[in-house]
Amino acid sequence: MENLKVQDVRMLLEGELVTGSEHWYVRNAIYYHRHDLTDSHTLLFIGRKDSINWTEINSKGPSLIITDQPKSELKKTYSNITIIRVRNLVQAYWKFLNYYRGLFEIPVVTITGTCGKTTTKEMIKHILSKELTVQASISSKNEPRQSLPYLMGIDANTDVAVFEHGLGNTGNIRHQCMIYQPTMGMITNIGVHHLDGCKNLEGYIQAKSEIIDGISEGGTLLLNADDQNIKKISLQTFQGKVIYFGIDKKSKYRASNIRFMNKGMSFQLHILNQMYRVFVPGLGEHQVYNALAAIAVANELGMDVREAIARLRTFQNMERHLEFSKGIGGSTIIDDTWTNNPTSVEAALKVMDSVGKGKKVILVLGDIKRLGDFEEKYHREIGSLVAKRAIHTLITIGKQSEEISKKAIEDGTKANVHHFQDVTGVFDLLASELDEQTVVLIKGPMSSRSMIAFAKALKENQ
């Protein structure tokens, strides 16, 4: 964060100095009780009804409190606390955010989508970081409450920012766009997820489309040209530049001749009349889309395409994203326990179609969360996808995932099917099955610590 003089903050917010000195600088800003107070020289927004640990704030001082609590509640005097009272905290909060964002005329890229957000963001960061200072969201920590700290991470040294949009409910992306004010926005794909917060698929698509109105005037929107749900979004209100990526002919950044290679994907990239050969680490057609999106952003920000492609070759995939490891008996363990939704399950199954040829394939599938009233429907759809494939063993774990097993059996799967309420007993069942000709895909939600531990155990006992 850029240092801001307390006096300037008071004048900006038209606040009243209740106590303390205003002749010092803040170097951090948080919303009290939403973020941890860890550093001195911190500005804290404190709501009217928030309880205040005065001793803690004073010990981390100097601290600046911005609040609209009654003046009678603010008469306490502490050596390391300055208090500025404002008429309305919400208005002061947004005025401060708009002011701070306005200090920086830099590209700000934000990304939403059912799958690929984190990987695409990390690819963009990796490609750009060789020459530029990049401020980015951390891992997949993309929930709205993280937006303030991420914005505060921008300072005079920042050349570009890249953030993910978390979506739990309708309005989340709109809220984050108000904070980030992106100059470039992206939708990687729209599958099925968070239906409990968006009511149904149509509501989920609408929630994803909030990014369109959130892009700054004259900005750029990047879209997956092949995604059927993205095609349902109206672009009539968008006044900026629209760029497509994918395999569709209308894509400015188009992939063809996609091939599975050792530890990655190879494809031809077409941009206007130019053609480039690209290799991206990580298996799966979905990884090609991630690469297309990352290259598109880098190129639109002015980087030479060949340089972006060269940088992409050195990208290291994140852990538990279709992560390949050797396991018991020389088996191959594919750990995909980072996230779990129908779109990512289908992508993982397509990878298994390639790497599992001629092998003994074992699927271990866990519950898919946040499907609202559609839990049974989408679990059963996955069961049908599984039944179409040559699989030796299907293991489902959890209450909802039992529908996967039931539907796979109904559809005539030839796999040995087992269902468990939890991971207890799964290790014992699999241990004797694993050898050099076995490939095990473990697909579960990041909220399931037991499935993550189970996948780790298979890898640790090689």
Side-chain angles (χ1 to χ4, degrees), residues 70 82 129 141 145 148 157 167 186 215-216 260 262 270 299 308 316 342 347 380-381 444 446 450:
T82 295
S129 291
K141 297 177 180 179
R145 69 183 182 86
L148 172 61
N157 296 317
L167 170 59
M186 177 194 300
I215 298 172
S216 299
F260 280 76
N262 183 30
H270 304 266
N299 188 229
Q316 293 186 348
R380 287 179 66 81
E381 286 186 3
M446 66 171 64
S450 60

Side-chain angles (χ1 to χ4, degrees), residues 106-390:
I106 63 170
V108 175
V109 183
T110 62
I111 305 170
T112 189
T114 303
C115 298
K117 297 184 297 295
T118 302
T119 299
T120 301
K121 177 208 65 186
E122 292 296 326
M123 284 181 175
I124 294 169
K125 180 181 176 182
H126 178 76
I127 291 171
L128 297 179
S129 291
K130 182 178 180 181
E131 303 292 341
L132 303 174
T133 299
V134 181
Q135 162 66 354
S137 46
I138 299 170
S139 186
S140 60
K141 297 177 180 179
N142 55 27
E143 57 268 31
R145 69 183 182 86
Q146 297 286 353
S147 303
L148 172 61
Y150 288 148
L151 180 69
M152 294 300 106
I154 297 175
D155 59 26
N157 296 317
T158 306
D159 297 306
V160 60
V162 187
F163 303 122
E164 291 181 48
H165 287 300
L167 170 59
N169 301 283
T170 300
N172 285 162
I173 292 177
R174 181 181 297 111
H175 174 87
Q176 289 179 301
C177 282
M178 290 172 64
I179 296 174
Y180 294 140
Q181 299 175 33
T183 60
M184 185 179 293
M186 177 194 300
I187 306 178
T188 59
N189 49 58
I190 301 179
V192 178
H193 207 19
H194 298 294
L195 300 189
D196 55 344
C198 302
K199 296 185 179 180
N200 51 39
L201 178 58
E202 289 70 28
Y204 181 66
I205 294 171
Q206 186 61 37
K208 288 294 186 185
S209 72
E210 290 173 4
I211 193 174
I212 294 172
D213 292 331
I215 298 172
S216 299
E217 184 177 354
T220 300
L221 175 65
L222 293 99
L223 298 174
N224 182 333
D226 307 317
D227 189 278
Q228 296 305 309
N229 287 327
I230 289 178
K231 292 177 182 178
K232 299 176 184 178
I233 296 174
S234 173
L235 301 179
Q236 290 183 349
T237 62
F238 185 68
Q239 300 297 315
K241 181 179 179 182
V242 180
I243 294 173
Y244 290 95
F245 59 90
I247 62 175
D248 189 283
K249 293 287 187 181
K250 72 177 179 181
S251 302
K252 178 178 178 180
Y253 296 86
R254 183 170 64 88
S256 68
N257 194 24
I258 298 171
R259 294 185 295 165
F260 280 76
M261 307 289 285
N262 183 30
K263 298 184 179 180
M265 304 297 293
S266 171
F267 64 95
Q268 290 178 332
L269 169 64
H270 304 266
I271 307 175
L272 301 177
N273 295 321
Q274 299 294 315
M275 192 275 286
Y276 310 84
R277 172 57 62 183
V278 180
F279 174 82
V280 55
L283 295 174
E285 289 186 5
H286 65 283
Q287 194 74 334
V288 173
Y289 283 90
N290 296 338
L292 286 171
I295 293 170
V297 169
N299 188 229
E300 295 299 318
L301 292 179
M303 176 176 279
D304 180 76
V305 174
R306 290 181 177 83
E307 177 65 20
I309 292 171
R311 290 287 296 154
L312 191 60
R313 292 183 67 91
T314 62
F315 177 72
Q316 293 186 348
N317 279 295
M318 300 179 64
E319 63 177 8
R320 304 197 343 261
H321 284 64
L322 288 171
E323 181 181 26
F324 282 65
S325 302
K326 284 294 182 183
I328 296 172
S331 60
T332 299
I333 308 300
I334 306 177
D335 184 349
D336 200 25
T337 56
W338 188 265
T339 189
N340 203 22
N341 56 60
T343 303
S344 65
V345 171
E346 186 171 4
L349 291 176
K350 288 180 178 179
V351 171
M352 288 297 289
D353 291 341
S354 176
V355 302
K357 288 180 181 178
K359 302 281 188 178
K360 181 168 63 176
V361 174
I362 298 175
L363 298 182
V364 182
L365 304 178
D367 287 342
I368 299 176
K369 308 293 186 180
R370 305 207 62 178
L371 292 177
D373 295 334
F374 301 88
E375 282 183 348
E376 181 176 333
K377 168 183 168 61
Y378 289 110
H379 281 89
R380 287 179 66 81
E381 286 186 3
I382 291 170
S384 293
L385 291 176
V386 170
K388 295 176 183 178
R389 291 169 158 85

